[in-house]
Amino acid sequence: MGAETPTNRGPDAARGGGLLQFALHVLKGRWFTVFATFLIMAGAGATYLFGVYSKQIKSTLGYDQTTLNLMGFFKDLGANVGVLSGLVAEVTPTWFVLLLGSVLNFTGYFMIWLAVTGRITKPKVWQMCLYICVGANSQNFANTGALVTCIQNFPESRGAMMGLLKGFTGLSGAILTEIYLAVYGEDATALILLIAWLPAALSVVFIFNIRKLKAERQPNETRVFYHFLYISIGLAIFIMLMNIIQKKVEFNHTAYALSATVICALLFLPLFIVIREELHIWNSKINPPIPIENPIEPKISIEESKEIKNNPDPKPYPPPPSCFSSICNKPARGDDYTILQALLSIDMMVLFIATFCGLGTSLTAVDNLGQIGESLGYPLKTVKSFVSLVSIWNYFGRVFSGFVSETLLAKFKFPRPLMMTLVLLLSCIGQLLIAFPIPGSVYIASIIIGFSFGAQLPLLFAIISELFGLKYFSTLFNCGQIASPLGSYILNVKVAGMMYDAEALKQLKEMGMDRAAVKELTCIGKQCYRKSFTLMAIVTFVGALVSLVLVMRTREFYRGDIYKRFREEVKQETSVGEAAAVESK
């Protein structure tokens, strides 16, 4: 019997003396990067909780609805204007992007918590707007550092990856709500403290695990993503059940703690899939498969290998021009656009208008959900249920648009812009249910708006990556969503907020009072949001029509093989590696 060698140890290599090496392999592996990104994204949706604690800000600081909506606009501005994070990511390593985001997150929300709890002198309105803008802007650093990196690591599964990661962000609001109820109880101000320290801590813990790797398709890649999807669906269903039960049954602290424990366990369940996949990769390195000569493909000769090595990167596509050159001479769709080429293209302008209409109206609905419930006479506990429903169905919208659009595109060449059109038409129904409420309609509206709001983001990001390439994706995807806060400001602050306050002042006048007589300006009744959300429905419908323009412009592009370039680049890199191996022999 000969001595045991590394090549005949098989699966036992991950045991005994090799356990530490295997653990390091997992922590450095591509799949662990995905798991770490899941957790970071699960804490990166604090902006969706504004409807829960906004009432606390309004009553504590004595704001009217227009002022509160102004804060909501700056929240949306910070959350969606990620050009800074994109540019920082172009010149700094990923760990710095995540670290800077964690600092911004803690600073912004911690200052809001100090103000609401009275630990500092009452800030001016512009200071509160600055705090929430800084805190919300940290979400872009998490997206740019973690999400963009994962998309670049898995370019051929970008739709599924986008849906999963943005899905966890959509669930983030409900996850953080359950954790805060378990840790702090019913104190809404404590929620602000939680979203100050927890997302920041997650980014710091995984700061060196998130990094860009060479793009290559993993074995059973699609199957693994579907396993992740099933776990995330189980998490979403559990949170939804808890939301329903908590509405019917009075939970004590122990019950909330058990619920939060199950949620945390489900969040860590993907780690077992990561270990399984990394074990396969580990064993394949220890016991490499015996190469079988393919009779169809000729072997690479020594002369050919030397030629490949001397010219290792004969790309079929010319290198992209510099950022400020050839702005008018744009490459074909799918190639790498420069930043200015993409921003000044008609396709991006059409996307901008559709995003302005779609996400602008959706954000208006989400930010006003607390006041919508209050105006219709729902108790605070039910209003929290609305926010949780938006968060959960936000998740379903994201994974649906990510996975379903990827499947439809691969099998039927169904263009993603057309799915965006259908999503915007669905959103119109949710807006009308708020404008013309009937008993229980706000529940349905929360589901529809949450779903359509969530579905728009993965579609927007995937479309940008497909039309303009991945070279400057970290900047372009942040630029692409700038229309969202602009729409939120015009539609939320200048339309919904002012119409609400006008109706509230009208009610005060009918009672023989004026604004100085009350600290908090409140409107009660169906008429509070009727006009504004009728207008929202019209704007959303216009956005759907505009998105059809992009469908027509890109129909030929989506009929082709949009991922062919990435497969050819991976094949070229593999050929170079094989050539180097041949010469070394």
Side-chain angles (χ1 to χ4, degrees), residues 450-472:
F451 181 89
S452 58
F453 178 45
Q456 291 174 61
L457 286 171
L459 290 173
L460 172 66
F461 297 155
I463 291 169
I464 289 174
S465 72
E466 288 162 354
L467 297 183
F468 308 117
L470 290 176
K471 183 174 179 63
Y472 298 104

Side-chain angles (χ1 to χ4, degrees), residues 108-403:
Y109 287 112
F110 188 66
M111 292 303 297
I112 294 174
W113 178 75
L114 291 176
V116 172
T117 55
R119 286 174 167 80
I120 58 174
T121 305
K122 179 182 176 181
K124 293 178 168 45
V125 172
W126 70 265
Q127 290 175 311
M128 289 295 290
C129 291
L130 177 63
Y131 297 154
I132 200 166
C133 185
V134 168
N137 193 246
S138 65
Q139 180 175 310
N140 294 300
F141 286 83
N143 280 332
T144 303
L147 182 145
V148 173
T149 301
C150 269
I151 298 301
Q152 292 171 335
N153 290 344
F154 296 87
E156 291 187 56
S157 297
R158 70 186 71 181
M161 176 65 77
M162 201 88 68
L164 269 175
L165 296 182
K166 296 306 292 183
F168 274 101
T169 306
L171 278 179
S172 178
I175 292 171
L176 291 173
T177 299
E178 291 294 322
I179 293 175
Y180 117 80
L181 289 171
V183 177
Y184 297 108
E186 296 283 350
D187 182 10
T189 57
L191 176 61
I192 306 174
L193 180 62
L194 179 72
I195 62 181
W197 69 263
L198 182 57
L202 287 171
S203 290
V204 171
V205 167
F206 296 110
I207 198 167
F208 293 113
N209 296 104
I210 310 294
R211 67 201 187 283
K212 186 176 179 180
L213 302 169
K214 184 178 70 173
E216 60 183 41
R217 191 162 183 86
Q218 299 296 292
N220 303 316
E221 185 172 299
T222 302
R223 177 179 62 86
V224 175
F225 281 126
Y226 271 96
H227 288 176
F228 287 143
L229 173 65
Y230 300 148
I231 292 174
S232 66
I233 289 175
L235 174 62
I237 291 174
F238 177 79
I239 293 175
M240 187 189 304
L241 290 175
M242 287 299 100
N243 183 60
I244 295 172
I245 294 172
Q246 288 165 11
K247 186 176 180 297
K248 301 292 184 182
V249 181
E250 193 70 32
F251 266 39
N252 56 24
H253 186 266
T254 302
Y256 281 125
L258 288 173
S259 174
T261 301
V262 173
I263 288 173
C264 290
L266 289 171
L267 279 172
F268 278 85
L269 194 57
L271 182 59
F272 292 97
I273 297 176
V274 169
I275 295 173
R276 181 194 71 192
E277 295 303 314
E278 292 295 346
L279 182 59
H280 291 332
I281 297 172
W282 173 267
N283 286 330
S284 68
K285 290 180 178 179
I286 294 176
N287 293 317
I290 299 174
I292 301 175
E293 183 176 339
N294 190 339
I296 298 177
E297 295 183 3
K299 293 180 65 176
I300 301 176
S301 66
I302 300 297
E303 292 75 12
E304 289 173 327
S305 69
K306 290 180 178 179
E307 182 180 349
I308 292 175
K309 185 178 180 182
N310 293 331
N311 186 21
D313 197 21
K315 295 185 180 297
Y317 299 92
S322 63
C323 185
F324 294 97
S325 66
S326 303
I327 294 176
C328 296
N329 186 24
K330 296 179 176 62
R333 291 190 178 96
D335 288 353
D336 288 324
Y337 280 55
T338 66
I339 295 173
L340 288 179
Q341 282 176 339
L343 293 181
L344 298 178
S345 68
I346 297 176
D347 289 346
M348 183 66 86
M349 293 179 185
V350 173
L351 265 177
F352 184 92
I353 297 172
T355 303
F356 173 92
C357 298
L359 289 179
T361 55
S362 296
L363 283 170
T364 300
V366 171
D367 288 347
N368 285 275
L369 204 52
Q371 282 66 47
I372 290 170
E374 181 187 43
S375 68
L376 296 175
Y378 289 100
L380 179 60
K381 192 172 183 179
T382 303
V383 172
K384 290 182 180 179
S385 296
F386 295 154
V387 175
S388 292
L389 280 174
V390 166
S391 181
I392 293 165
W393 284 92
N394 191 345
Y395 157 79
F396 281 117
R398 293 175 186 219
V399 296
F400 177 86
S401 67
F403 279 84

Side-chain angles (χ1 to χ4, degrees), residues 395-449:
Y395 157 79
F396 281 117
R398 293 175 186 219
V399 296
F400 177 86
S401 67
F403 279 84
V404 173
S405 69
E406 191 78 15
T407 301
L408 293 176
L409 179 62
K411 291 186 176 181
F412 308 107
K413 304 297 183 184
F414 189 90
R416 288 193 218 269
L418 183 56
M419 180 167 279
M420 177 176 280
T421 302
L422 299 177
V423 167
L424 291 176
L425 292 175
L426 177 64
S427 182
C428 292
I429 299 174
Q431 310 285 353
L432 290 173
L433 285 173
I434 294 177
F436 302 96
I438 58 176
S441 65
V442 182
Y443 288 100
I444 302 173
S446 299
I447 291 172
I448 292 176
I449 290 173

